[in-house]
Amino acid sequence: MMQQSSDQGEIIIESLGSAGVIRLNRAKAINSLNEAMVRDIKAGLGAFARNPEITSVILCGEGERGLCAGGDVRQIYAARTASEADRTRFWREEFPLNYAISHYPKPFIAFMDGIVMGGGVGVSAHGRYRIVTERTRLAMPETAIGYFPDVGATWLLPKAPGEAGTWLGLTGREVGAADAIYLGLGDYHIPSARLLELMDALGRVSFSADIGAVIESFATPPEGTGQLAGNRDMIDAAFAGESVEAIIMALSALDNDFARETLATLQSRSPTSLKLTLRLLRMGGQSSGLVECLEREFVAGCEVLRNHDFYEGVRAALIDKDRDPKWRPDTLQAVSSEALDRYFVSSLTPLFPDHRL
């Protein structure tokens, strides 16, 4: 959104009048999150919550490419031979931050400009005001790297209209502003050229109760209707299946470009990730709240790191960049329900031990 000197650290915490501002300042990595950044965001949120002069908190990303491309999976990949405690420490920091944002006592405003993916959705879509722009490219692309949508996505996506959240979670495809709002992951569309003006206006607000009206005064309808609303009947019919095989069969019977593109995407994803994601999404739709989903995601994520596909997916996408992952197993039929059960059993210390589900 704007340029800042990189010598200020990977997180910049500052005040602009009555607005607290948290800037992700790792532009070369599209502001991908690491442990230190997550801790600094928590500290900034805590300080702003205690400051009576602050009426709202704004999260934004430095550079021109996006708010946040997600968690730094390269670091997780590099720690593949470390202890389980070391491999999973990032999630022990990140998931409680997602929960804290969802329950933040002051208006939390996310500028979801440009790329917003994976962990970037986690630090924005749980906020009170989610602002998208004509440049927004939102995705939960985890099935492409042998993982699954986490950061509370299994709580958020089942709340989307019909099966749109299932489509997003399984395919990992990018969507723009109109679709982000349709999915319930964004609230207002505001042109990117006006974000600095909005930030300045928010810094002049004396009462938190007035924040919504200020944001609404800048909002405009997004261009177009997106791809999801127009394909809702097809998405709802195909993705209502209780198995990935049923979804694949339903898509195979359809003769249109959207169905063919969706089918081709699913056929390139990790079979284990697809089946794990679908089970998590279905369970998320029946869950008591965000904490239950985060705990379940943490257990499943720890098991993912004990297996092949995540490391192979990251290798193919980010390390060797050959875009040719060799999944194991490489067919849906070879991924049994019993094989998935181990992703839901753990003796790990809960992330929220004092929270009653």
Side-chain angles (χ1 to χ4, degrees):
M1 193 182 75
M2 66 178 69
Q3 300 291 341
Q4 285 279 347
S5 172
S6 61
D7 61 6
Q8 297 183 68
E10 294 180 332
I11 296 293
I12 301 171
I13 309 292
E14 59 188 3
S15 298
L16 178 64
S18 61
V21 181
I22 299 176
R23 303 181 189 275
L24 309 186
N25 189 38
R26 199 182 176 206
K28 290 183 179 179
I30 320 181
N31 300 314
S32 294
L33 299 169
N34 55 39
E35 289 177 45
M37 293 170 72
V38 170
R39 287 193 292 269
D40 287 347
I41 294 170
K42 289 179 184 176
L45 288 175
F48 288 140
R50 294 187 296 271
N51 186 341
E53 302 299 316
I54 297 297
T55 59
S56 68
V57 174
I58 301 166
L59 178 77
C60 58
E62 295 302 292
E64 297 300 321
R65 298 174 68 188
L67 170 65
C68 177
D72 192 339
V73 295
R74 286 176 179 269
Q75 290 191 354
I76 299 175
Y77 178 89
R80 60 193 180 279
T81 60
S83 68
E84 181 163 87
D86 287 339
R87 291 199 310 268
T88 61
R89 189 171 57 239
F90 173 68
W91 292 329
R92 284 197 174 276
E93 296 281 353
E94 182 187 31
F95 289 9
L97 171 61
N98 304 143
Y99 177 78
I101 289 171
S102 76
H103 287 72
Y104 196 63
K106 296 181 179 182
F108 181 97
I109 306 155
F111 285 4
M112 301 169 71
D113 187 37
I115 291 172
V116 186
M117 297 184 181
V121 175
V123 293
S124 57
H126 293 293
R128 193 180 309 180
Y129 298 105
R130 292 85 51 87
I131 295 168
V132 294
T133 77
E134 77 286 355
R135 295 170 7 102
T136 296
R137 292 169 53 200
L138 183 147
M140 297 300 296
E142 288 81 3
T143 59
I145 58 166
Y147 191 52
F148 61 87
D150 63 349
V151 296
T154 62
W155 172 247
L156 295 172
L157 294 184
K159 299 182 182 305
E163 296 294 336
T166 311
W167 177 92
L168 189 80
L170 290 179
T171 67
R173 296 271 293 274
E174 291 180 10
V175 299
D179 283 326
I181 293 173
Y182 176 79
L183 285 158
L185 301 176
D187 299 304
Y188 299 98
H189 170 267
I190 294 175
S192 59
R194 299 200 70 192
L195 290 180
L196 290 180
E197 184 184 353
L198 172 60
M199 185 181 291
D200 184 66
L202 291 170
R204 298 195 299 271
V205 176
S206 300
F207 302 99
S208 293
D210 296 331
I211 293 294
V214 171
I215 293 173
E216 287 180 10
S217 72
F218 281 79
T220 62
E223 184 175 346
T225 59
Q227 56 186 320
L228 299 183
N231 288 286
R232 175 166 182 174
D233 289 346
M234 189 220 76
I235 291 172
D236 288 357
F239 282 82
E242 285 304 311
S243 71
V244 179
E245 289 91 338
I247 293 171
I248 294 286
M249 185 177 298
L251 290 169
S252 299
L254 297 172
D255 184 22
N256 62 72
D257 289 342
F258 185 84
R260 282 189 289 271
E261 291 168 4
T262 297
L263 179 61
T265 297
L266 293 179
Q267 290 172 333
S268 72
R269 301 318 196 205
S270 158
T272 300
S273 291
L274 289 175
K275 287 199 168 184
L276 178 59
T277 296
L278 185 61
R279 186 186 288 195
L280 286 165
L281 289 173
R282 296 295 189 246
M283 295 175 74
Q286 302 298 319
S287 294
S288 62
L290 175 58
V291 163
E292 183 179 347
C293 290
L294 288 170
E295 292 282 17
R296 188 183 297 120
E297 291 169 5
F298 179 63
V299 170
C302 291
E303 182 62 27
V304 165
L305 296 189
R306 302 184 189 111
N307 291 277
H308 167 270
D309 276 10
F310 172 76
Y311 301 108
E312 173 62 7
V314 174
R315 179 206 64 77
L318 300 175
I319 307 302
D320 298 335
K321 299 182 180 179
D322 58 32
R323 307 292 176 183
D324 187 27
K326 306 299 183 186
W327 307 122
R328 295 205 309 250
D330 62 357
T331 66
L332 290 168
Q333 292 71 24
V335 183
S336 68
S337 178
E338 292 74 22
L340 291 181
D341 289 344
R342 69 178 186 269
Y343 290 86
F344 297 86
V345 179
S346 175
S347 59
L348 296 168
T349 303
L351 296 175
F352 304 90
D354 298 325
H355 191 97
R356 297 184 64 181
L357 299 181

